[in-house]
Structures are given as C-alpha cells and as structure tokens.
Amino acid sequence: MAFAGLLVLLSSTLATGIHQASPWELRLAAFNDILHLGRRSTFLQRSSFVKNLDYKIKLRVCSAYPADAPFEVLLNEVSIKEELEYKSCFEYTGDLRSGDNVNFKVAGLASGSFTIDQLPQEDATLVLVVHRHDKATMAVSFMSHVFAKLSGPQVALLDAYQGSSSSVVEIKPKDDDESKTETLRYNSVMALDEATYKVTLTMGDRKQEYELDAQSDEAYAIIRCGVDSEILKSYKQELMVYPTNEKTAEEKLDKAAAHQFVLSFSVAALFVGALAC
C-alpha cells in the first residue's frame, strides 16, 4: 500500500507513494545521465561519469569493501583521503576534470582505479562505491550513481553485498503505522518528501533498523554491504546510509555560522559608518 505524502519522481500521473525508477526509465527522462549504475569485474578497472567543469559537482566516495585495512584514496596522484574505513564515506568538492583517476591503495599498494571521463552538464552529486568483486577473492569492483539536481530528497539503494543470503529493505515514515511500509528494490532510485523515515533490513527472522532524515535538496545512498565467504573472513550483512544525520546537522550549523558572520559583519559595517558620520 503506497503511503501518502511522498513525492513521485518522473511520473506522468498524479499518485502517492515512492516511485522507484529503473535505470532505463531514468535514461529516457529529461535529465542528462541522472543514473549511471553498474558493476565492473577487473582488478584495476576503469569506468566513467559525464563531465562539465561549469557546474557544481560533489563526489562522494564510499567503501562497502569488507576489510580491516583502510583504503587511501587519491585523485590522480594526490591523496584526498588518507584512511577510508569499511562502511564509511567522504565528500570531495574540489576540481574534477575529464580523464581524472580515482585511485585506491592499501598499505601503499594499488588496489583499483576508477576513471572519470565526463561529468553531468548540470549541478550533480556523484556516488562512487568500492566493494568486493566476489566472495572468494580480494579483488575490488565499483558501482556508481549520478544524482541530478532536484528540489526534493533522492535516495539510491545500492547492493554491494556478496553472498547467498537474501534480504528485503523496507521504508516507512518514522511516526506512521506499519500499513504505510514500502518495499524497495535494490539498485533503484526513489524520491521522497522531506521527513524522517525508518529503514528496515529484514534477513529471515532478523531485522536491523536505520533512520533516514531526508532533507530537501539532498541525495542519499543506502548501500547493502557485507560478505558471506567460506574461504576468507566473513562480514555480516547490513546497510550503510550516507550522508548521516550527523553530517546533515554539521552542514546546517556551518551554514548558520556563516549566516551569523555575515550579519555580524554587516552590523559592524553600519556601526563604523555611523561613527564616521
């Protein structure tokens, strides 16, 4: 049962609930390269985004690669993150250019490479996820997604889990009853109203709950991670949510502080001007 109050993305009819658009549907939409999802299988691999330097581009890199040792992440030869731990993400807002490589190292040794060919010709948020290629080896693989600039919150549910265990991800407004629960599809994109949601990962008779505080103009990644290996160390199946509520709160505080500084500077300027008169 669809629940009221959620926005519908790229739909030609008026309806309530979440609209989960497939990659093909999104490519047919009027947004340039809103979706770029895929897995690659090479050890040192190359992939691509779409490019234009005239727009504000955010690059968010997440590690869904189960391991005890962190990655060092480099843009070409320059380190942009010294330690990227498993189940963590970071955001890079510096200059990105066509042909740039996002390189991953562990203990100084090259582990994988993702090549940026082009970027969207609009403001956009890029999500790059490094994960285990399979459950039997340590090889890396990548998946990526491009969020177009929309007015409401967007969520991409990405599946980086390696194993045979099945699971279901459900979402509902935090304060609503269970009848308004929606089941989400892996590797799909959805639009939500600005609100707080409860996200549930159900694995047989076990459940894990997460909170998503969906803010306007923000793009979120929910990533299923973990590995069930008979050869290497196993990591439990769980979800990553980025950005977190803590990051959103920090950004709000930074904006508020900047606004307060501007106001204080304006008042000081007016005071000095009055004294001069």
Side-chain angles (χ1 to χ4, degrees):
M1 175 179 177
F3 50 85
L6 297 179
L7 294 177
V8 177
L9 174 63
L10 304 178
S11 176
S12 60
T13 59
L14 295 176
T16 58
I18 300 173
H19 177 77
Q20 301 180 63
S22 69
W24 180 245
E25 290 175 319
L26 290 172
R27 287 187 182 279
L28 290 177
F31 302 103
N32 288 330
D33 297 290
I34 185 176
L35 182 64
H36 179 74
L37 283 171
R39 297 172 182 265
R40 302 292 187 270
S41 58
T42 55
F43 182 67
L44 289 174
Q45 78 172 62
R46 298 180 179 273
S47 187
S48 63
F49 283 131
V50 188
K51 167 88 194 164
N52 192 312
L53 290 175
D54 296 333
Y55 300 97
K56 182 178 180 181
I57 304 295
K58 296 179 182 179
L59 172 63
R60 291 175 175 173
V61 183
C62 296
S63 174
Y65 185 94
D68 296 331
F71 285 109
E72 180 185 7
V73 184
L74 302 92
L75 182 62
N76 300 316
E77 301 302 321
V78 179
S79 179
I80 57 175
K81 183 68 174 179
E82 291 186 358
E83 293 190 351
L84 178 63
E85 303 280 353
Y86 174 47
K87 297 190 302 181
S88 66
C89 305
F90 75 95
E91 182 176 292
Y92 175 78
T93 56
D95 189 23
L96 293 173
R97 297 179 179 276
S98 176
D100 281 347
N101 294 312
V102 183
N103 299 315
F104 294 79
K105 292 183 177 182
V106 176
L109 300 177
S111 299
S113 181
F114 184 96
T115 299
I116 301 174
D117 290 335
Q118 292 181 321
L119 295 174
Q121 298 183 10
E122 59 185 348
D123 291 352
T125 299
L126 283 53
V127 177
L128 174 62
V129 180
V130 56
H131 62 95
R132 189 80 67 84
H133 174 253
D134 55 70
K135 63 181 183 179
T137 71
M138 299 293 288
V140 305
S141 190
F142 298 101
M143 61 175 60
S144 60
H145 175 69
V146 181
F147 288 101
K149 180 67 174 179
L150 299 180
S151 59
Q154 302 175 72
V155 181
L157 176 60
L158 309 178
D159 189 10
Y161 175 74
Q162 293 294 337
S164 57
S165 300
S166 61
S167 63
V168 175
V169 178
E170 296 175 317
I171 188 171
K172 75 175 209 53
K174 184 178 180 181
D175 298 326
D176 285 351
D177 57 58
E178 297 300 323
S179 65
K180 296 185 179 179
T181 298
E182 290 276 355
T183 300
L184 306 180
R185 296 196 309 267
Y186 287 114
N187 297 332
S188 66
V189 185
M190 64 219 73
L192 302 173
D193 274 342
E194 186 173 356
T196 301
Y197 296 88
K198 183 175 75 173
V199 180
T200 304
L201 175 66
T202 302
M203 302 157 286
D205 58 354
R206 295 189 301 115
K207 290 187 177 183
Q208 292 181 354
E209 294 184 349
Y210 306 81
E211 187 172 289
L212 173 63
D213 185 14
Q215 301 294 319
S216 179
D217 298 324
E218 186 55 274
Y220 298 88
I222 301 176
I223 306 166
R224 182 170 75 138
C225 56
V227 62
D228 182 14
S229 177
E230 298 177 355
I231 303 174
L232 305 170
K233 180 180 177 180
S234 293
Y235 291 77
K236 68 179 182 179
Q237 182 180 177
E238 54 189 320
L239 296 180
M240 299 168 52
V241 179
Y242 187 82
T244 61
N245 296 344
E246 290 78 8
K247 182 180 185 299
T248 303
E250 289 175 0
E251 289 179 343
K252 287 183 177 179
L253 288 174
D254 290 342
K255 290 180 180 179
H259 182 65
Q260 183 63 38
F261 174 78
V262 172
L263 288 177
S264 299
F265 181 82
S266 299
V267 170
L270 289 173
F271 180 73
V272 172
L275 290 178
C277 295

